[in-house]
Amino acid sequence: MRYGAGPEILRDVNFTLPPRSFHFLTGPSGAGKSSLLKLLYLDHLPSHGTIEVFGRNIAETPRSELPAIRRRIGVVFQDFRLIDHLTALENVAVPLELAGVEDAQDRARDELIAVGLRERLAHYPAELSGGEQQRVAIARALAPNPAIVVADEPTGNLDEETGRQIIDVLFAGHAKHGTTLVLVTHDVALAARCARVARLRSGRIDSIGKP
């Protein structure tokens, strides 16, 4: 798989993510980690090569069917990406409602309680700490019961202790939902908790294997 017009950001990238596994993606800044994640959650499509998700070749899948596939992939960003004028509960429930989930409010409430925000359901993002906002973002990613969750530097804007708590929340969600988890972070201490570590360098996977 390759990606990028002109100078390619990624090239000769080839790997498989087994179901229910968890993976750590590392590498220096500019190596292409975020670009690779965008390909994984189908925000970008490769310029060469193939992405196969849930047995579907994405290049051969009609564009009208991609949103349904994307809904099976949860995403957690470094900058949270919450909607300021919605409460924590609404930030999790509204995407479910837009997807036609009938029990959206109940499901959103359950996920927020699961990430430790029982007392913060009615609070707006500005009333929450950074760690609490990231917990809302994790609940939003997990609420649709996705098969895959990708997290792009989810602790990058948090202090060390809060970051450790957020990683624990992500791994608890992985265990609860049985997701495939792909985690990008510079915190190499996390590598020991992952099934495989992929090291990206200059747009290529430099190595991939156990920690």
Side-chain angles (χ1 to χ4, degrees):
M1 179 175 63
R2 299 185 180 186
Y3 169 70
E8 291 175 323
I9 300 171
L10 296 168
R11 52 193 177 278
D12 303 327
V13 174
N14 184 25
F15 62 92
T16 300
L17 299 175
R20 299 175 181 268
S21 57
F22 45 95
H23 309 269
F24 178 85
L25 181 61
T26 187
S29 297
K33 300 185 299 298
S34 292
S35 294
L36 181 54
L37 278 200
K38 289 178 180 178
L39 289 165
L40 290 180
Y41 63 82
L42 308 183
D43 187 55
H44 294 337
L45 298 178
S47 48
H48 301 283
T50 300
I51 295 178
E52 186 172 297
V53 184
F54 313 128
R56 304 280 300 273
N57 184 332
I58 297 303
E60 298 175 355
T61 301
R63 293 298 178 94
S64 61
E65 297 179 17
L66 291 181
I69 296 175
R70 288 190 182 103
R71 283 195 289 271
R72 298 181 64 191
I73 305 172
V75 187
V76 180
F77 299 98
Q78 177 178 342
D79 55 358
F80 320 138
R81 301 197 185 183
L82 304 180
I83 300 174
D84 292 338
H85 65 273
L86 299 182
T87 65
L89 181 63
E90 292 166 340
N91 262 284
V92 179
V94 167
L96 296 174
E97 292 168 347
L98 293 174
V101 176
E102 294 183 0
D103 61 342
Q105 292 281 327
D106 291 339
R107 191 183 295 188
R109 184 177 295 104
D110 289 345
E111 286 300 332
L112 286 165
I113 291 172
V115 300
L117 294 178
R118 181 187 296 271
E119 307 301 326
R120 311 294 274 173
L121 304 182
H123 288 68
Y124 292 91
E127 300 172 318
L128 301 173
S129 68
E132 288 171 335
Q133 290 185 63
Q134 193 61 291
R135 288 171 187 261
V136 175
I138 292 170
R140 180 183 58 193
L142 293 173
N145 291 320
I148 300 170
V149 171
V150 297
D152 191 1
E153 297 283 1
T155 64
N157 288 331
L158 306 174
D159 63 77
E160 185 176 354
E161 176 58 29
T162 303
R164 280 197 294 266
Q165 294 172 6
I166 290 302
I167 294 301
D168 288 341
V169 170
L170 269 173
F171 274 79
H174 158 74
K176 173 185 174 184
H177 291 270
T179 60
T180 296
L181 175 62
V182 183
L183 177 65
V184 170
T185 176
H186 286 95
D187 187 352
V188 294
L190 295 173
R193 299 182 64 175
C194 296
R196 289 196 301 175
V197 176
R199 294 174 177 85
L200 204 62
R201 185 179 298 276
S202 301
R204 285 189 169 94
I205 292 182
D206 184 56
S207 63
I208 186 166
K210 294 183 178 180

